[in-house]
Amino acid sequence: MEELINSAKALNAKKLVVLCRLEPGCLGPDGIDHIDAFCQVAERALVNFNADICHWCLAPRLDKSLIEIQYSLAGKVLSRDKAIKFISSFEQDLDVIEERFEDKLTQLINQYIARKR
């Protein structure tokens, strides 16, 4: 079991971790009451999204001084330029990946809002 955990950690160390902080208002006027639950649900829905090179993390953006999107690799925070270089080493484009992510996130937000009504 420990071997399996260590191999999972080793695989994730080679993936770009993308932390996206979401404004509670994206879920409507009562978004503050739902943002934690939404982040958990949406993160599970994104497990397989570009899973070969990215790991997506979602968190509420309660502190506006924190940046909206943060990149890291093997526990070290990367600049956007370094994240672009890492992604391009897989012959992929970070802008395209993020655009697809935003489309998927919008879909998840709309589904969540529809269910809570």
Side-chain angles (χ1 to χ4, degrees):
M1 181 67 159
E2 191 170 322
E3 235 176 80
L4 186 61
I5 292 170
N6 288 337
S7 65
K9 285 180 182 177
L11 279 175
N12 276 338
K14 296 177 183 177
K15 292 183 181 185
L16 181 69
V17 176
V18 183
L19 170 60
C20 180
R21 295 182 179 98
L22 301 174
E23 303 276 347
C26 74
L27 297 175
D30 64 344
I32 193 72
D33 299 330
H34 301 276
I35 193 69
D36 288 318
F38 173 76
C39 287
Q40 291 173 8
V41 169
E43 199 172 290
R44 284 193 299 271
L46 292 165
V47 163
N48 294 318
F49 189 78
N50 282 101
D52 51 336
I53 56 175
C54 294
H55 177 78
W56 301 89
C57 296
L58 301 178
R61 187 174 185 209
L62 304 176
D63 180 349
K64 303 266 185 184
S65 68
L66 297 174
I67 60 173
E68 192 172 343
I69 295 183
Q70 178 180 309
Y71 311 95
S72 60
L73 186 64
K76 295 183 181 179
V77 175
L78 299 180
S79 67
R80 180 169 171 74
D81 289 341
K82 288 186 179 177
I84 289 170
K85 284 181 184 177
F86 177 78
I87 293 295
S88 67
S89 72
F90 293 92
E91 297 180 6
Q92 295 202 34
D93 184 324
L94 185 59
D95 287 332
V96 171
I97 290 172
E98 286 182 347
E99 196 173 296
R100 288 181 52 231
F101 165 75
E102 287 174 14
D103 290 345
K104 179 68 175 170
L105 188 60
T106 299
Q107 178 187 7
L108 292 170
I109 289 169
N110 290 337
Q111 288 173 350
Y112 190 87
I113 289 172
R115 284 186 191 144
K116 73 174 189 162
R117 287 184 183 166

